[in-house]
Amino acid sequence: VGTLSADGILITQEFHDVAREYVDAIMGHIKSSGVNPFLLHIEDRVSLDHLLPKWYGTPDAHMWDTALNELHVWDAKFGHTPVDPFEHWQMIIYAMGAIRNLGEKDIHLRVKRIVLHVIQPRSFHSGGTHRQWSFPIDQLGHYEQLLREALTDVTGDSPSCTVGPQCKNCTARAHCDTLKAECYAGMDMI
């Protein structure tokens, strides 16, 4: 507290407390399940080359819970806007990479469920600060098919672009002609 992080962010007491809650949630799962804590991967890059060349992701944390045959993916969110783990594409994609990166032969046959955790202490949500959603491993193929279809579209010669909630945090929104046209259309209505 009172120092700068490696990337120059001031560590305040609030920031420390939020990070502590995130660590406590993960360690609580490890202790309750009895899983070897060395199976926990923190900020380890997962390859997504099987979906798109040179593509990767960096989950905040993930681990294969060998006791429950579950793959857990944790995401720390520090904002106030609630983030729902239900069909959270970023985390689903991380799970796709983590399954492949675990490297165990036939691990996809041994992992039965995928559990996505969002730890968000600064969002006041009826579900609390630690929310989770899980689905059977069999559904991962369905999500991968949807993702492959979307990747084919966005990497094609004329990708479709649709304005929606995804635009809120998009880093390219300042240069997006589709979003700009939608905003101008709204202004014309006024």
Side-chain angles (χ1 to χ4, degrees):
V1 177
T3 61
L4 294 178
S5 66
D7 53 354
I9 297 173
L10 177 64
I11 307 295
T12 64
Q13 186 63 49
E14 179 190 25
F15 191 81
H16 175 270
D17 293 345
V18 166
R20 181 83 251 164
E21 186 168 339
Y22 169 71
V23 170
D24 288 347
I26 294 173
M27 295 310 295
H29 174 79
I30 289 172
K31 287 178 184 174
S32 70
S33 68
V35 172
N36 182 341
F38 291 106
L39 295 175
L40 178 66
H41 297 262
I42 302 170
E43 294 285 334
D44 280 347
R45 180 184 282 195
V46 295
S47 172
L48 298 163
D49 274 338
H50 68 288
L51 298 167
L52 193 67
K54 299 181 183 177
W55 200 27
Y56 67 89
T58 310
D60 291 341
H62 69 281
M63 74 177 265
W64 175 28
D65 184 329
T66 54
L68 298 173
N69 291 327
E70 296 175 335
L71 174 70
H72 290 259
V73 180
W74 285 273
D75 202 14
K77 298 293 185 187
F78 293 97
H80 295 282
T81 303
V83 176
D84 191 347
F86 175 72
E87 291 189 335
H88 190 288
W89 275 99
Q90 177 186 4
M91 297 176 72
I92 291 171
I93 293 167
Y94 288 160
M96 291 174 191
I99 285 286
R100 288 184 173 259
N101 285 11
L102 287 173
E104 296 279 333
K105 185 177 178 177
D106 299 325
I107 192 167
H108 63 283
L109 299 175
R110 290 190 285 165
V111 172
K112 302 297 182 204
R113 295 194 73 70
I114 295 179
V115 184
L116 307 179
H117 302 260
V118 170
I119 314 295
Q120 191 177 20
R122 298 173 76 200
S123 174
F124 301 102
H125 189 279
S126 62
T129 59
H130 178 187
R131 297 177 299 282
Q132 67 183 35
W133 174 65
S134 67
F135 59 95
I137 188 74
D138 303 356
Q139 285 184 340
L140 194 61
H142 167 71
Y143 289 115
E144 187 168 317
Q145 180 60 37
L146 292 175
L147 179 61
R148 285 182 186 280
E149 291 169 10
L151 288 171
T152 299
D153 178 38
V154 300
T155 59
D157 292 335
S158 57
S160 61
C161 188
T162 307
V163 174
Q166 70 276 8
C167 299
K168 180 180 179 186
N169 297 313
C170 179
T171 57
R173 68 178 180 243
H175 308 286
C176 180
D177 292 333
T178 304
L179 180 59
K180 195 181 314 179
E182 186 75 16
C183 290
Y184 287 144
M187 291 167 66
D188 286 343
M189 298 290 282
I190 298 173

